[in-house]
């Protein structure tokens, strides 16, 4: 069996969607003749921790080596799960961090992870190094690894690096430094994995030394096991239940959907009175205030952050799922893991999305009602249409063959094939 050393800052017991891709790869690699060992963080302060994901990790028996850093999350580790700040404060802190830390504030942890990796490789043979970003400081620091060991390096882009949707460059120099670091990281890589075609196109167009075959698309997915590990819960009534799972930040906002629902309530109260909206995740004070301003409290259930299995349970008891990404920088490259989890439910989806990777995927899903992200009238009509079809018992059915392509076990099999291709003979 081959051995792969996985470097991943975001990993259980941390929660939220950023940890799941790497966790599921680690879970299924052993079935494909690859034994993973993971280097990740010690306990850190974070917005969510998920014991169900940690339990799933423990059940795999995978060796996990935890490295303590000196980045903000580690310094604040005694606080455990911390409250999500207001969007203004979150964005301000993010901008300040990007001014002073290049490529990001996890650089100190990445340096310690590199030191630990060099120590491990000096005493133990591994066939490959797999690094999942963000944080992209991992890509930056580990571009030096081949000065110490001749080991193949595979980079996994969960998001775009330069000019991603959250990037902020105070000066042209800031952006130039990011590009130089990304250039060095890609030069050192033997294979690059990306979550969608838009990211692949941007990388190949920007870095001419990359060939088409060196960048492989491996999308997010869903784990069939997750849908068998809980008891089904029936809805308490026959009202149509629309559910959103996840966070709101930057230009991912519920305000257009809430205003559309309010408009439906005024124009067609017989529809709206028989619909309930559910939010699973961190809604945020600003959005809670908006709900109050619109006087929608009676139509909304807010559960806060739930662990992964509880979230899936809520999705499965819903009639309609909703996803939203606003029109912002590089929105076409966003590849939300949440959408692919939605696919695993086989539920109809209201998708308020800009042109790009997500919109293309949800269109192929078939059981979807697609609107512009900020068009209140379009969204209102989509809600009304789903309710009409719900009452008729005629909601659309998704394309099963399309859904099967996003099983985590199948995606990990594809990853294993890519790892096989970079093995040093």
């Amino acid at each position: 069996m081959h051995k792969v050393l996985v470097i991943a800052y975001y990993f259980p017991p941390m929660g939220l969607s950023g940890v799941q891709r790497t966790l599921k790869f680690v879970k299924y690699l052993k079935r494909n003749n690859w034994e993973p060992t993971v280097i990740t963080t010690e306990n850190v302060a974070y917005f969510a921790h998920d014991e169900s994901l940690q339990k799933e990790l423990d059940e795999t028996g995978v060796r996990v080596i935890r490295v303590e850093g000196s980045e903000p999350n580690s310094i604040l580790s005694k606080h455990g799960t911390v409250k999500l700040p207001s969007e203004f404060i979150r964005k301000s802190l993010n901008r300040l961090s990007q001014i002073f830390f290049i490529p990001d504030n996890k650089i100190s942890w990445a340096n310690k992870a590199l030191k630990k990796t060099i120590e491990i490789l000096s005493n133990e043979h591994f066939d490959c190094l797999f690094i999942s970003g963000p944080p992209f400081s991992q890509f930056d620091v580990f571009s030096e690894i081949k000065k110490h060991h001749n080991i193949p390096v595979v980079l996994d882009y969960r998001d775009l690096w330069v000019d991603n949707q959250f990037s902020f460059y105070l000066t042209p120099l800031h952006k130039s430094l990011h590009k130089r670091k990304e250039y060095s990281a890609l030069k050192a890589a033997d294979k690059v994995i990306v979550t969608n075609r838009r990211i692949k196109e941007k990388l190949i167009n920007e870095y001419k030394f990359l060939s088409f075959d060196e960048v492989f698309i491996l999308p997010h997915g869903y784990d069939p096991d997750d849908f068998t590990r809980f008891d089904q819960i029936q809805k308490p009534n026959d009202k149509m239940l629309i559910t959103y799972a996840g966070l709101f930040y930057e230009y991912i906002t519920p305000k257009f959907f809430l205003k559309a629902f309010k408009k439906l309530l005024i124009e067609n109260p017989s529809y709206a009175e028989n619909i309930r909206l559910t939010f699973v995740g961190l809604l945020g004070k600003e959005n809670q205030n908006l709900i109050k301003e619109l006087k929608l409290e009676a139509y909304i259930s807010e559960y806060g952050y739930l662990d992964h299995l509880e979230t899936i349970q809520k999705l499965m008891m819903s009639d309609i799922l909703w996803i939203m990404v606003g029109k912002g920088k590089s929105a076409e490259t966003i590849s939300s893991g949440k959408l692919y989890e939605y696919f695993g439910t086989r539920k109809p989806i209201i998708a308020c999305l800009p042109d790009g990777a997500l919109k293309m995927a949800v269109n192929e899903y078939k059981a979807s009602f697609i609107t512009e992200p900020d068009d209140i009238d379009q969204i209102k009509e989509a809600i009304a249409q789903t309710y009409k079809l719900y009452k008729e018992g005629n909601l659309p059915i998704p394309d099963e063959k399309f859904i099967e392509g996003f099983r985590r076990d199948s995606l990990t099999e594809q990853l294993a094939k890519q790892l096989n291709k970079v093995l040093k003979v």
Side-chain angles (χ1 to χ4, degrees), residues 256-257 260 352 371-373 375-383:
F256 303 110
F257 194 90
C352 307
T371 78
E372 290 296 309
D375 191 318
I376 292 171
D377 285 326
Q378 273 191 21
I379 298 169
K380 180 198 71 174
E381 290 304 318
I383 298 171

Side-chain angles (χ1 to χ4, degrees), residues 17 244-247 322-324 336-343:
S17 60
Y244 177 94
L247 303 179
W322 169 54
I323 186 170
M324 188 278 174
S336 170
K338 167 174 52 194
L339 178 63
Y340 298 85
E341 198 111 76
Y342 282 8
F343 289 167

Side-chain angles (χ1 to χ4, degrees), residues 41-279:
T41 61
E42 281 280 9
N43 294 330
V44 296
Y46 197 51
F47 301 129
H49 291 86
D50 193 323
E51 289 306 317
S52 72
L53 294 179
Q54 180 61 49
K55 183 173 184 293
E56 185 175 359
L57 172 63
D58 293 341
E59 289 170 353
T60 67
V62 167
R63 178 168 56 139
V64 178
I65 299 167
R66 297 193 178 272
V67 175
E68 184 177 3
S70 54
E71 83 289 357
N73 298 60
S74 290
I75 293 170
L76 298 171
S77 61
K78 65 181 180 181
H79 297 287
T81 302
V82 295
K83 186 177 179 181
L84 186 70
S86 70
E87 183 59 11
F88 174 78
I89 293 174
R90 188 204 65 78
K91 189 181 289 188
S92 299
L93 291 173
N94 180 266
R95 300 294 188 266
L96 284 171
S97 177
Q98 292 190 63
I99 291 171
F100 295 107
F101 297 97
I102 298 175
D104 54 59
N105 65 12
K106 308 299 187 296
I107 188 73
S108 66
W109 181 84
N111 278 312
K112 291 184 178 182
L114 174 63
K115 183 178 179 181
K116 173 59 72 172
T117 299
I118 292 170
E119 175 190 322
I120 292 169
L121 292 177
S122 297
N123 297 291
E124 186 176 351
H125 173 76
F126 282 86
D127 298 286
C128 182
L129 199 62
F130 178 87
I131 310 170
S132 181
F136 293 111
S137 52
Q138 297 173 137
F139 289 8
D140 175 29
V141 167
F142 276 83
S143 64
E144 302 288 311
I145 190 69
K146 289 184 179 177
K147 292 181 180 178
H148 306 274
H149 293 275
N150 184 27
I151 184 171
V153 174
V154 177
L155 302 181
D156 180 43
Y157 276 75
R158 301 194 313 275
D159 291 306
L160 193 67
W161 179 348
V162 176
D163 283 331
N164 72 57
Q165 66 268 32
F166 307 122
S167 62
F168 169 74
Y169 305 119
L170 182 65
T171 68
L173 176 61
H174 282 76
K175 183 173 181 178
S176 175
L177 289 171
H178 276 271
K179 289 191 71 171
R180 270 189 252 168
K181 288 177 178 296
E182 184 169 45
Y183 179 96
S184 297
L186 290 169
K187 269 288 190 181
D190 296 87
K191 176 69 69 172
V192 179
I193 308 292
V194 297
T195 53
N196 63 63
R197 185 165 299 282
R198 295 301 180 94
I199 296 178
K200 176 171 181 171
E201 289 169 352
K202 278 185 173 285
L203 291 180
I204 290 175
N205 289 334
E206 187 66 35
Y207 303 101
K208 302 300 182 184
F209 61 84
L210 285 174
S211 70
F212 185 86
D213 290 337
E214 285 175 318
V215 183
F216 185 77
I217 301 170
L218 204 54
H220 291 304
Y222 69 95
D223 189 346
D225 281 0
D226 290 342
F227 294 86
T228 63
R229 297 173 66 189
F230 57 84
D231 296 326
Q232 292 283 359
I233 297 178
Q234 296 299 315
K235 289 192 305 176
N237 51 54
D238 64 352
K239 289 176 169 50
M240 186 176 83
L241 185 59
I242 302 176
T243 297
Y244 177 94
L247 303 179
F248 292 106
Y249 48 84
E250 294 284 338
Y251 44 87
I252 300 175
T253 170
K255 68 180 180 181
F256 303 110
F257 194 90
L258 292 172
K259 289 178 180 180
F261 184 77
K262 177 67 174 184
K263 195 168 185 179
L264 180 66
L265 180 61
I266 294 168
E267 296 178 5
N268 201 336
S270 66
Y271 277 25
E273 290 287 350
N274 286 289
I275 298 172
R276 289 295 178 268
L277 309 180
T278 296
F279 292 93

Side-chain angles (χ1 to χ4, degrees), residues 347-351 359 361-370 396 398:
K347 303 283 185 178
I349 298 171
I350 296 176
K359 191 172 183 177
V362 81
N363 187 56
E364 291 187 63
Y365 180 67
K366 302 301 183 189
S368 49
F369 303 82
I370 303 172

